[in-house]
Amino acid sequence: MENGNHEIPENANEHCPGPQSESAGKADACEGCPNQQICATAPKGPDPDLVAIVERMATVKHKILVLSGKGGVGKSTFSAQLSFALADMDYQVGLLDIDICGPSIPKMLGLEGQDIHQSNLGWSPIYLESNLGVMSIGFMLPHPDEAVIWRGPRKNGLIKQFLKDVHWGELDYLVVDAPPGTSDEHISIVQFLQATGINGAVIVTTPQQVSLIDVRKEISFCKKVGIRVLGVVENMSGLRQSIPDLKFAKLSEAGDENDVTEWALNYIKTNAPELLSMVTCSEVFDSSGGGAAKMCMEMGVPFLGKVPMDPQLCKAAEEGQSCFADQKCSTSAPALRRIIEKLVAAHQ
């Protein structure tokens, strides 16, 4: 549905003035509309700062949004590892964290406690490597436990400032880690970057229906605002662990748990050493509904692949390390690399 040149959401009230109208979210016709708060806080009309953003982004070749419908699916972990991998491929990479209320990127790149510096060119990203720069509100907080209690306009203002004031220099890829859902931050990043050319969005989910329900909404959001879905990643797709990484326990009749890991591993080494090179596989989430692959087929978007739940990947994220730096993430790193190579190939 359209009003002049502005698209009106399908679930809008009758006589909707349009999301770009000055009266959006404030008119009598907006009362009770599910979009009222978003429309009231979203930027309206021509924005002179958009020119500054276009100029700043002119040196960035590819812009990729990383989205999720549900929180806790590993979106920020994927963003961090995607950035690590692209930097390892000798690309110039920027990672922008716009999860204003829950910035986890500084932790996942081992950059906690760093401060942002300003020069005559603008804000300087925090550099992990010479070709991997990071920007996040997490660098601005006086204490990591500090809560960010901001309404939409203030969030939008900071996102705009990140885009127009951060001096990224020449970048091959700008990875934008967004919060879960389809809220103010998502509307803002799309509006601010659309004129500069967004390559598309990668959407991260877990296999179970409770996550896929929200991912369908995320895909719908992308289609409505004209963002190409580069593909969906099914994260935590089963638990994979090598035998030597397992912990073994014996339960007593009283239900007490006794650690027998040393005994069990010695038994395996002595009696079945070939098991030590094997990987255990178990399903953590119910994927009987077909998981992300089936959903992608139904919604007509690419399925990029599955990444298993890997305790070593979790440890790498906690320590701010790349899962590609060594052979410890033996089950997750190859899966992530295949997905990232697909993304890179699509932009060559």
Side-chain angles (χ1 to χ4, degrees), residues 29-111:
C30 300
E31 288 299 323
C33 176
N35 306 299
Q36 184 176 11
Q37 184 178 0
I38 294 175
C39 288
T41 58
K44 308 288 191 308
D47 187 344
D49 287 332
L50 292 182
V51 176
I53 291 173
V54 169
E55 291 175 352
R56 185 69 82 177
M57 291 290 112
T59 59
V60 180
K61 293 180 182 176
H62 304 294
K63 307 166 196 73
I64 297 176
L65 308 182
V66 182
L67 310 175
S68 69
K70 182 75 70 179
V73 299
K75 169 189 54 61
S76 294
T77 299
F78 180 81
S79 296
Q81 297 304 325
L82 170 61
S83 300
F84 276 128
L86 292 172
D88 285 345
M89 296 175 184
D90 292 328
Y91 290 112
Q92 293 292 327
V93 183
L95 175 55
L96 175 58
D97 180 7
I98 64 165
D99 193 342
I100 306 300
C101 294
S104 52
I105 289 300
K107 170 71 173 176
M108 291 188 172
L109 275 85
L111 295 173

Side-chain angles (χ1 to χ4, degrees), residues 28 98 103-104 150 183-184 231 238 243 258 276 298 304 322 324 344:
D28 291 342
I98 64 165
S104 52
W150 288 3
S183 57
D184 288 331
I243 297 290
N258 299 310
L276 294 174
E298 292 171 349
L304 292 174
S322 168
F324 309 105
V344 171

